[in-house]
Amino acid sequence: MAKTATLKIDDKEYPLPVMIGTEGEKAVDTRALRAASGYVAYDQGYGNTGSCESQITFLDGDNGILRHRGYPIEQLAHHSDFVETAYLVIYGELPNATQRREFGLQLRKNAAIETQMQKILEGFPTSASPMAMLSAMVSALPAYYPHLATNNFEQDLKGFDLAAAIAMSKIRTIVAMIYRYQKGLPFMFPKQELPFCDNFLHMMFSEPYQDYVSMPEVAKALNLVLLLHADHEQNCSTSTVRMVGSSASNLFTSISAGICALAGPLHGGANVAVMQMLQSIHDEGDDGSRFIAAAKSGSKSNRLMGFGHAVYRNFDPRAKIIGEACDTVLTRLGIDDPLLKIAKHLEQAALKDEYFVARKLYPNVDFYSGIIMRAIGIPMNMFTTMFAIGRAPGYIANWREVAANPKGRIYRPRQIYGGPVKRDYVPMAQRG
Ligand code: ACO
């Protein structure tokens, strides 16, 4: 017999279905509660709300577990690359050789940006925020691919494979173009023969008549950074993608909304904030204790950036992988970055501090990702756009789940109203 929970309000009992996920995650299904009792479930910020059933990513924050389609992130980081992991996240299985080749081909064929779209980019001030430019460019994609962006689930799902390749490949190209535009450099067009990450490095750093050449470690490090961002369950930006997608908005529009959500410093923007913090510790020559002391004030604007996570209460497995990779990558590239030493020192100091211990605050993926990106040559103001390239597969997979769910409904939470009760309109002359 299906298990139920019982909620008792006053003298009345309400049976509520219990749901158990494939990894044993438990939920009480409150969907029918309001109709039966007049009560809604209150959960500010949705911290304890399962907003959907998903088959993409499993995350156990208490035990530091992250798996995509069942595969542990540690194994993917060790054996896979970004494009293969993207395929896994989007399509549910690791690709065989033919599928991998075909997916790679689609990404290569859809890398270039139309000349007219370039003009949109050139209309922005060069000082504009790269994330503002990126989200605007992605939200312009439906104008160029209207047949893939009809805002009709059935129709848009028919063109899903192509739309997914366009989104993933072009987000990367747009990011490289933003970088070059801001630096006043001519755009470098994608090269069909290059793999995903090498192509990005080429579009960023090649010069006319002088191709970018680097050690293979650079593309490998970039692969790792992107792979570690590929998906992360119902985080703020992915939930945004799902929410916008639930109104039957097309893939590109939904992703663009996700990119807007990613921009905030408490989410994707944290990787920039971490580097600013480390740089300022370096410039001022102190030991970081000032930042730790300020973070303990409880003020949101003084948080220790790169620390804490909405769901991890043990450690962020991505931070562990990327923290270890920092040492390897910097050593192989022959880079001695003082910010890495500062980050390690800060991490040790915070992990010994009662405030952070008591609240189970550990480094998150953003604490070390900036150091690797800096070693690759990516400037700090572009870090969050790199996160967007990495997270694209997660956005795409989550949009598809929403679009393909025949029982899906528009995301529309309730609220507890706390404003003025009914009152009568007061004419202007009688207002104080
Ligand atoms: N520095 C200092 N105190 C912190 C920090 C921090 N980085 N993070 C949380 N806290 C405190 C909170 O103030 C709260 O204190 P209180 O219990 O005394 O009120 C307590 O720790 C618990 O906070 P949570 O409920 O766990 O935090 P929440 O879920 O609201 O926020 C978040 C999670 C936004 C990630 C937060 O930890 C933070 O702001 N971190 C810094 C920004 C950051 O690194 N963001 C990247 C997240 S990872 C990602 O998006 C890829």
Side-chain angles (χ1 to χ4, degrees):
M1 207 174 76
K3 203 168 161 177
T4 54
T6 306
L7 177 69
K8 191 170 173 196
I9 304 173
D10 299 328
D11 285 337
K12 204 152 178 228
E13 291 194 346
Y14 303 94
L16 298 167
V18 165
M19 297 169 71
I20 312 281
T22 53
E23 287 281 358
E25 282 184 305
K26 301 187 277 273
V28 176
D29 180 348
T30 58
R31 277 175 294 180
L33 181 63
R34 187 172 182 278
S37 68
Y39 284 81
V40 297
Y42 178 71
D43 179 19
Q44 201 271 329
Y46 315 130
N48 194 40
T49 292
S51 63
C52 59
E53 286 182 80
S54 177
Q55 297 175 1
I56 304 166
T57 290
F58 172 66
L59 200 168
D60 175 350
D62 293 330
N63 294 304
I65 292 171
L66 174 63
R67 297 186 200 130
H68 297 318
R69 306 286 190 179
Y71 295 101
I73 191 68
E74 293 81 4
Q75 290 185 25
L76 293 170
H78 190 63
H79 299 291
S80 185
D81 63 17
F82 176 59
V83 171
E84 184 184 67
T85 297
Y87 184 98
L88 171 72
V89 166
I90 295 170
Y91 292 106
E93 294 294 338
L94 286 167
N96 62 28
T98 312
Q99 291 164 330
R100 173 65 183 81
R101 215 173 22 251
E102 180 52 29
F103 186 53
L105 189 66
Q106 283 307 317
L107 294 174
R108 286 168 202 232
K109 281 205 309 212
N110 290 291
I113 298 296
E114 292 69 12
T115 321
Q116 280 184 319
M117 262 196 97
Q118 284 177 37
K119 290 191 186 142
I120 300 182
L121 184 61
E122 287 162 347
F124 289 114
T126 48
S127 58
S129 141
M131 285 299 274
M133 289 195 264
L134 179 61
S135 60
M137 291 292 283
V138 174
S139 76
L141 284 172
Y144 295 87
Y145 303 97
H147 58 296
L148 300 172
T150 63
N151 297 331
N152 172 300
F153 281 150
E154 210 176 308
Q155 193 58 31
D156 287 353
L157 282 170
K158 283 187 193 149
F160 174 78
D161 292 347
L162 180 56
I166 287 175
M168 205 177 127
S169 198
K170 288 201 199 306
I171 286 175
R172 170 204 49 177
T173 304
I174 294 167
V175 169
M177 288 172 75
I178 290 171
Y179 167 74
R180 295 192 70 96
Y181 175 61
Q182 289 199 311
K183 295 203 89 171
L185 298 169
F187 296 136
M188 295 307 299
F189 296 101
K191 286 189 170 183
Q192 281 245 1
E193 69 274 19
L194 290 178
F196 192 90
C197 287
D198 299 78
N199 213 350
F200 174 73
L201 293 168
H202 151 71
M203 288 189 277
M204 289 282 282
F205 303 127
S206 283
E207 293 305 334
Y209 312 113
Q210 198 182 346
D211 279 352
Y212 170 81
V213 187
S214 75
M215 285 191 266
E217 277 77 12
V218 176
K220 206 172 160 206
L222 179 57
N223 251 303
L224 179 70
V225 172
L226 298 181
L227 182 153
L228 289 175
H229 287 88
D231 189 41
H232 208 232
E233 209 223 41
Q234 300 312 313
N235 58 86
C236 175
S237 55
T238 303
S239 296
T240 302
V241 169
R242 287 188 86 114
M243 177 164 279
V244 174
S246 77
S247 74
S249 281
N250 66 79
L251 177 67
F252 305 129
T253 305
S254 306
I255 293 180
S256 167
I259 292 172
C260 292
L262 186 68
L266 297 188
H267 188 16
N271 53 18
V272 176
V274 170
M275 292 305 277
Q276 285 167 338
M277 177 180 75
L278 297 177
Q279 189 65 53
S280 124
I281 294 172
H282 179 253
D283 294 347
E284 288 165 30
D286 72 15
D287 62 356
S289 47
R290 183 170 59 88
F291 280 90
I292 294 186
K296 295 194 305 190
S297 71
S299 147
K300 268 201 174 121
S301 41
N302 284 328
R303 285 187 167 175
L304 193 61
M305 299 315 286
F307 256 73
H309 198 276
V311 283
Y312 290 121
R313 290 289 176 260
N314 184 321
F315 62 92
D316 178 343
R318 304 165 303 167
K320 216 171 172 181
I321 297 167
I322 214 159
E324 284 163 12
C326 264
D327 282 323
T328 322
V329 171
L330 267 62
T331 308
R332 288 216 194 111
L333 297 179
I335 295 171
D336 181 19
D337 190 340
L339 299 195
L340 178 58
K341 288 194 193 83
I342 293 172
K344 284 186 174 173
H345 173 79
L346 201 61
E347 176 183 351
Q348 288 315 315
L351 292 181
K352 277 191 218 128
D353 192 296
E354 185 46 33
Y355 175 93
F356 293 89
V357 174
R359 289 167 180 75
K360 300 186 176 177
L361 300 171
Y362 295 86
N364 59 50
V365 67
D366 288 325
F367 195 67
Y368 285 109
S369 65
I371 291 171
I372 293 201
M373 288 197 269
R374 191 161 120 121
I376 294 170
I378 292 157
M380 194 162 69
N381 72 328
M382 298 299 295
F383 284 178
T384 314
T385 60
M386 299 302 296
F387 191 152
I389 302 175
R391 186 54 54 85
Y395 294 157
I396 293 166
N398 276 275
W399 177 88
R400 189 193 205 192
E401 267 193 353
V402 170
N405 182 0
K407 290 194 192 138
R409 60 180 293 264
I410 190 164
Y411 279 35
R412 204 308 187 180
R414 298 273 178 171
Q415 64 167 19
I416 301 298
Y417 177 69
V421 294
K422 181 181 175 287
R423 48 186 173 163
D424 292 325
Y425 181 80
V426 182
M428 176 82 79
Q430 292 170 26
R431 291 176 212 161

